[in-house]
Amino acid sequence: MGLVQIGIGLFLVCHDTLFQWPPGIITTVANDNVIGFSMILVGVGFIWWAFDDQRSIRWDHILLTVSGGFFFVLTVYQFLHWCFLGLDMPWISNAALTAIIMILAARSDSGAK
């Protein structure tokens, strides 16, 4: 998951005009490099957490929540681009990744016994 998120973040950083709808502030924010860099940081966080010997449950929950949120918003926004503009967007694969993150979140150990 970490490598996928880093890859998508790099893609978003390199493509500053990917999102074209709706014109205005939403498109400006969606194409901002801060979004891509944030996804890269979450991906690095996933990899860091996986190799950490301590593996904090709290960080696991934070990473899964933030990652799930990013992928959900990205999937919906790409779906809307596909619907309204007819642009080819990878919303189906991102929807599958969102589902995988939700499954991981549901199966993660909450620490409660």
Side-chain angles (χ1 to χ4, degrees):
M1 284 308 305
L3 292 175
V4 168
Q5 206 136 20
I6 290 171
I8 291 174
L10 286 172
F11 182 81
L12 292 176
V13 167
C14 293
H15 294 83
D16 290 334
T17 58
L18 179 66
F19 300 112
Q20 302 169 10
W21 179 87
I25 190 72
I26 295 173
T27 304
T28 305
V29 171
N31 286 319
D32 194 352
N33 288 341
V34 172
I35 304 296
F37 283 122
S38 299
M39 288 192 80
I40 292 170
L41 286 176
V42 173
V44 168
F46 263 116
I47 293 171
W48 184 283
W49 182 87
F51 287 111
D52 186 15
D53 292 334
Q54 309 267 321
R55 285 199 186 107
S56 166
I57 293 170
R58 182 168 188 233
W59 273 109
D60 179 37
H61 291 168
I62 290 169
L63 288 169
L64 288 170
T65 302
V66 171
S67 179
F70 269 129
F71 272 108
F72 177 75
V73 170
L74 181 63
T75 300
V76 169
Y77 200 47
Q78 288 177 338
F79 178 75
L80 291 173
H81 269 73
W82 177 74
C83 283
F84 290 108
L85 298 179
L87 296 176
D88 289 333
M89 291 276 178
W91 66 271
I92 295 173
S93 60
N94 287 334
L97 289 169
T98 305
I100 290 170
I101 292 169
M102 296 303 162
I103 291 168
L104 289 173
R107 293 183 177 179
S108 73
D109 184 14
S110 66
K113 299 195 183 221

